Amino acid sequence: MNNRIHSTLYFFQYLTARVIVVGGITFLIYCIIAQEVGAIVFCSIFVLFGIFILKKQVPKPTDLSFDKDFLYLDHLSEPIRIEDISSLENGVIVYNLNGKISKINLPNFYYIDKNYKKLKAAIENKSTQSRCSL
């Protein structure tokens, strides 16, 4: 059974950030047509700042689901074995894939999702089982 980790609040945050940037671009185009120099400068700075914030603070949500053995990131990548995950702290999943350490950021407000506790428990159980078998 696949459990999915997502956050409706994060999706609305992502959607709102996109709408604000598109609104800023629309207003910039209007200011260029109206030839208001001060407004053009303001809108240009606003749009650049909005795009910067959008890329750094509000990345596109990833489709994250898991079952008792695997963590699935999206439909394109291979699943990650739960045993390969070394830690889950502060919204970051650290895992070892083919000898390479990688990180996945969980969506903002991940701790609200009821399945987050299940994922954390599954990772802790698998890590203690792998340590005991060594």
Side-chain angles (χ1 to χ4, degrees):
M1 179 174 142
N2 275 350
N3 297 312
R4 186 170 180 226
I5 293 182
H6 61 75
S7 174
T8 305
L9 290 175
Y10 183 71
F11 176 74
F12 284 126
Q13 179 186 16
Y14 175 74
L15 186 64
T16 302
R18 293 280 177 170
V19 168
I20 289 172
V21 169
V22 169
I25 292 170
T26 305
F27 195 65
L28 177 63
I29 292 170
Y30 170 75
C31 292
I32 290 172
I33 292 170
Q35 298 177 349
E36 294 288 332
V37 176
I40 292 171
V41 171
F42 172 75
C43 287
S44 298
I45 293 170
F46 179 78
V47 167
L48 290 174
F49 183 71
I51 291 172
F52 174 75
I53 293 295
L54 187 67
K55 293 293 182 185
K56 293 293 182 178
Q57 296 296 323
V58 191
K60 186 175 181 181
T62 55
D63 188 20
L64 184 68
S65 60
F66 67 97
D67 58 19
K68 64 179 185 160
D69 296 321
F70 292 101
L71 177 73
Y72 306 97
L73 292 178
D74 54 22
H75 300 294
L76 302 176
S77 68
E78 293 182 23
I80 300 166
R81 294 177 42 164
I82 296 291
E83 294 92 16
D84 294 338
I85 298 174
S86 58
S87 69
L88 171 63
E89 294 180 4
N90 298 327
V92 177
I93 298 173
V94 179
Y95 64 97
N96 184 359
L97 186 64
N98 300 328
K100 181 180 176 188
I101 303 293
S102 299
K103 295 180 181 180
I104 305 167
N105 290 326
L106 290 172
N108 293 348
F109 310 111
Y110 63 89
Y111 46 84
I112 295 174
D113 194 324
K114 64 182 181 220
N115 290 328
Y116 171 71
K117 291 181 182 178
K118 291 180 185 178
L119 175 63
K120 192 167 186 168
I123 291 171
E124 289 172 356
N125 288 341
K126 291 290 182 174
S127 67
T128 56
Q129 287 176 358
S130 65
R131 286 185 194 139
C132 291
S133 65
L134 294 175

